[in-house]
Amino acid sequence: MNMFSSSLTVLVLLVIGYSIFSFFRIQGLIRESQMLVRGSVPYQKTTTPEAPKVLFVGDSTGAGVGAPRPEESLAGRFGAEHPDWNVDNLSVSGRKTAEVLPVLKSLGTEQYERVVVQIGGNDITHFTDTIMLEADILAVLEEAKRVGRRVTLLSCGNVASALLFPRPFAFLWERRTLLVRDMFMRAASKQGVTYVDLYRDKKTDPFFLEPYRYHASDLFHPSGEGYGLWYENFKKSTVIKP
């Protein structure tokens, strides 16, 4: 066996070994994520019937999956900073953008001072058809404006920063993140709602630079500190006072 053949054999073995390692590692992190979902309770708060109301609706990030306590989610931080507000939360883990629309329609004549839509992460990771997704987010924002006097849209940060995914394929998730980000920004502009941009290039992204601090134990969802970073961006992007 010549040197080239030996090198090729070693390379193939390394690829196979890395693939097996990645498979079992990802399966373990997925199980960890499922445990976080089962243990998560969306933050909600009721003060008085006449108090201003905010609605959080979306996916697992809206439900605060990964935060040690509901109070550390975006909804929880909003509730703590605005003790006189009622906070409703209709977020469900695993939800895609299209699935938010019937939730908003089911509210009927219910009216909110603010509606915060947290969605898009599952559309990134599950490769939702882009034509359908663009129509879905426009419809969701239109319906959100019907039930809320002011609407804010958040998606997720840079999915490529999550250590759940194998590093050699991170560029695929970054391209997908940017595609959905651009689409959501256009939709928000078209519908006249506020878009909170959570995307950061990996060179400056705290979730990439300090992944074990800002990610939860599944290395995918934000930790309590991760949600804290998102909330700071939320506050900078939108006026919260009624």
Side-chain angles (χ1 to χ4, degrees):
M1 182 179 294
N2 58 38
M3 183 176 297
F4 175 77
S5 298
S6 299
S7 299
L8 183 60
T9 300
V10 171
L11 178 61
V12 169
L13 291 174
L14 286 173
V15 170
I16 293 173
Y18 180 77
S19 299
I20 294 173
F21 167 78
S22 295
F23 174 81
F24 285 105
R25 174 181 173 276
I26 290 172
Q27 291 303 307
L29 291 173
I30 289 174
R31 288 193 295 271
E32 181 68 22
S33 185
Q34 292 169 340
M35 290 178 61
L36 291 176
V37 169
R38 288 195 294 268
S40 176
V41 178
Y43 177 89
Q44 300 192 77
K45 174 169 65 75
T46 301
T47 55
T48 60
E50 63 275 10
K53 297 188 298 181
V54 59
L55 170 67
F56 285 81
V57 59
D59 54 24
S60 58
T61 60
V65 172
R69 301 179 302 120
E71 291 78 9
E72 295 182 59
S73 66
L74 256 69
R77 292 172 187 274
F78 184 99
E81 198 164 328
H82 301 82
D84 57 334
W85 282 60
N86 292 330
V87 180
D88 289 349
N89 197 329
L90 300 179
S91 300
V92 174
S93 181
R95 183 179 280 158
K96 295 182 182 180
T97 299
E99 296 169 308
V100 175
L101 188 58
V103 177
L104 292 172
K105 288 185 174 181
S106 71
L107 295 172
T109 58
E110 188 81 21
Q111 288 294 305
Y112 290 88
E113 180 67 27
R114 296 181 57 82
V115 175
V116 180
V117 180
Q118 288 182 247
I119 202 68
N122 293 306
D123 296 289
I124 293 173
T125 59
H126 290 78
F127 290 88
T128 301
D129 179 79
T130 53
I131 295 176
M132 293 177 56
L133 181 57
E134 186 163 19
D136 291 338
I137 189 58
L138 286 168
V140 164
L141 295 180
E142 183 69 29
E143 193 65 19
K145 290 194 299 180
R146 183 187 67 80
V147 299
R149 192 167 76 85
R150 286 178 292 171
V151 177
T152 301
L153 172 64
L154 303 89
S155 184
C156 59
N158 188 348
V159 174
S161 294
L163 294 185
L164 169 66
F165 303 109
R167 292 296 88 197
F169 305 104
F171 73 96
L172 295 174
W173 303 114
E174 185 142 27
R175 288 175 56 186
R176 181 70 181 175
T177 299
L178 288 170
L179 177 67
V180 173
R181 171 181 177 253
D182 290 346
M183 183 184 302
F184 278 26
M185 290 177 75
R186 289 196 304 270
S189 177
K190 186 173 182 178
Q191 292 287 9
V193 307
T194 300
Y195 180 79
V196 180
D197 189 11
L198 300 176
Y199 174 84
R200 299 291 181 273
D201 183 271
K202 291 197 297 294
K203 294 178 181 178
T204 59
D205 188 359
F207 285 84
F208 181 76
L209 298 175
E210 298 184 74
Y212 296 99
R213 176 180 179 183
Y214 293 110
H215 283 111
S217 55
D218 63 354
L219 298 179
F220 180 65
H221 290 96
S223 64
E225 288 190 78
Y227 282 113
L229 288 181
W230 282 12
Y231 189 68
E232 289 303 313
N233 282 282
F234 176 83
K235 290 199 298 182
K236 292 175 183 177
S237 301
T238 180
V239 178
I240 298 178
K241 294 181 180 180

